[in-house]
Amino acid sequence: MKRPMTDSVEVLNADMAKKNLGGHWQLGFESYLAYPETTVQPCLWKWKDVYESLMRAGEVVGMDQAERRTIRLLNPALKERQATTHTIQFSFQYVKAGEHARPHRHTAAALRFILKGNGAYTTVNGQKCVMEEGDLILTPQLTWHDHTNDSGKPIIWLDGLDIPLVQSLQQLLFEPHPQEAQPIEKTSDQVALLYGHARPNAAAAAEFFHYKWSDTERCLSALVKTASPDRFDGYILEFRNPVTGGPTMPTIQCALELLRPGEETEAHRHTSTVIYHAFRGGGSSYVGDERFDWQQGDSFVVPLWYPHRHVNRAASEAVLFSMSDAPVLKSLHLYREEPAGL
Ligand code: 1HN
């Protein structure tokens, strides 16, 4: 094509736009910052609101209507994506006595942390995982999972899924299982024996799904007796893969943070985004300019690069359960952290 007689940046931009081309000069350098910027907002959700909605859903939403009776925490800045953060979706699930949530699998990785109730079970790839409060149960990428509540009592747990991340990679697939319920082949108690300190060579990283609260609690109390707290996270216990020592799952790191009475952590910031849930006790967290006062059952988001610190002013220990996308950032060499004034 012939160049116009009087060429200019404007004419060039307009001509290129018709050919699906764009100049670097059209971006404007203000779009580049010297630190990561997020659209995710710090946000607190109160247990009272979640619980009331769950109970009402228990009355009006049947298992024939919903694949799962879950209520999502929606970040006000991400409402159109129906997501808690840009990487992780956090929901609460309520399964009444006698109910069954049918088996399916998806490319999104999921986890459950049991909040109220005991004795129901999740079957993960044929492995029966009986739930107790404080247990963490994984359903990694493409594992079949269904939930059965034959305990005679209702149960509530929290669900964490990497759906927003998997969706942004355009990899979200979902498949129903051909049967009403998965046949049970083994139990997580049997599998746990193969993952202890003496374990067979063949112990496979991909078959471990169930961290039991009885083990976690013993570990937490030993940690408090034998170690000193981390300056930013108090006594922190990470749920690691027992075979590889790697993260809980490739996309999500789960942890517990214990704050003793009077404990105040120092402020820091990192490029990972964390969702916290107050499992025991109460306290306050400072996130950027906000102060979140939390009690047992409340949840809040610390978006990436926001300075944050935690305080336990109560007379009893506080335990926060957390889910972070740090493994994704670490594997892409994008993880950074530093102390931050707050
Ligand atoms: C899912 O499969 C479960 O299996 C829970 O319990 C929450 C949220 C979005 C998509 C799939 C479950 C979910 C989910």
Side-chain angles (χ1 to χ4, degrees):
M1 180 190 143
K2 255 181 39 210
R3 286 177 64 187
M5 288 292 286
T6 51
D7 210 356
S8 69
V9 170
E10 290 74 26
V11 173
L12 173 60
N13 290 349
D15 286 346
M16 287 201 307
K18 292 179 211 145
K19 297 160 194 160
N20 300 323
L21 297 171
H24 196 78
W25 56 89
Q26 290 178 275
L27 281 176
F29 288 99
E30 66 278 9
S31 57
Y32 298 112
L33 299 169
Y35 54 87
E37 194 182 36
T38 181
T39 55
V40 177
Q41 278 179 27
C43 191
L44 173 73
W45 292 265
K46 299 300 284 180
W47 176 246
K48 185 177 153 288
D49 299 330
V50 169
Y51 186 75
E52 189 203 289
S53 303
L54 278 177
M55 291 305 105
R56 286 172 61 186
E59 296 300 320
V60 299
V61 181
M63 294 308 288
D64 44 347
Q65 256 170 291
E67 182 80 14
R68 298 292 190 259
R69 188 188 293 110
T70 65
I71 292 181
R72 299 161 170 210
L73 301 187
L74 301 183
N75 195 285
L78 301 175
K79 270 204 171 126
E80 73 296 340
R81 291 187 67 188
Q82 298 254 312
T84 316
T85 76
H86 61 308
T87 47
I88 297 180
Q89 172 62 57
F90 183 116
S91 349
F92 292 94
Q93 185 158 170
Y94 176 37
V95 186
K96 296 196 287 185
E99 285 184 334
H100 174 70
R102 57 184 171 263
H104 65 209
R105 65 177 186 171
H106 31 69
T107 42
L111 62 92
R112 314 177 200 286
F113 185 72
I114 316 306
L115 301 173
K116 281 186 189 299
N118 295 295
Y121 63 90
T122 288
T123 309
V124 188
N125 276 359
Q127 191 182 127
K128 180 178 180 179
C129 305
V130 179
M131 300 164 153
E132 307 270 348
E133 277 178 21
D135 285 6
L136 174 65
I137 298 171
L138 311 182
T139 53
Q141 292 81 357
L142 286 178
T143 51
W144 295 107
H145 53 285
D146 54 330
H147 315 304
T148 309
N149 187 356
D150 59 0
S151 70
K153 298 157 298 186
I155 189 162
I156 298 175
W157 64 75
L158 69 77
D159 291 300
L161 291 101
D162 59 8
I163 285 192
L165 175 74
V166 175
Q167 214 157 26
S168 67
L169 297 172
Q170 307 190 339
Q171 300 294 330
L172 197 58
L173 319 177
F174 175 96
E175 207 183 337
H177 193 279
Q179 289 161 288
E180 268 304 298
Q182 284 182 78
I184 290 166
E185 292 156 12
K186 53 191 163 186
T187 69
S188 59
D189 283 340
Q190 291 164 334
V191 173
L193 295 172
L194 307 179
Y195 289 79
H197 299 290
R199 62 177 175 233
N201 276 342
E207 270 177 24
F208 181 85
F209 302 130
H210 196 166
Y211 302 85
K212 302 208 64 108
W213 176 247
S214 50
D215 297 329
T216 308
E217 191 179 32
R218 274 164 49 221
C219 188
L220 258 185
S221 57
L223 188 70
V224 172
K225 288 198 185 87
T226 59
S228 25
D230 179 85
R231 58 195 269 230
F232 303 118
D233 290 306
Y235 286 99
I236 182 161
L237 201 62
E238 290 189 329
F239 293 94
R240 295 195 160 269
N241 183 288
V243 175
T244 64
T248 321
M249 290 190 286
T251 50
I252 306 178
Q253 178 64 59
C254 296
L256 290 175
E257 292 183 20
L258 184 149
L259 304 168
R260 293 168 303 177
E263 188 135 28
E264 294 196 23
T265 65
E266 292 174 46
H268 71 155
R269 61 182 168 198
H270 36 65
T271 53
S272 53
T273 295
V274 187
I275 308 174
Y276 286 97
H277 177 80
F279 182 54
R280 297 284 182 255
S284 304
S285 295
Y286 296 81
V287 184
D289 297 332
E290 312 235 23
R291 169 181 161 169
F292 294 143
D293 294 319
W294 41 265
Q295 299 300 326
Q296 186 171 319
D298 297 348
S299 312
F300 59 97
V301 164
V302 176
L304 63 93
W305 215 241
Y306 272 71
H308 58 282
R309 62 189 177 89
H310 312 291
V311 183
N312 179 5
R313 293 193 191 81
S316 56
E317 284 176 346
V319 179
L320 290 166
F321 173 78
S322 71
M323 294 188 288
S324 142
D325 57 9
V328 179
L329 295 151
K330 286 179 181 168
S331 65
L332 299 176
H333 297 193
L334 291 170
Y335 186 78
R336 283 193 292 140
E337 65 176 300
E338 63 181 33
L342 185 65

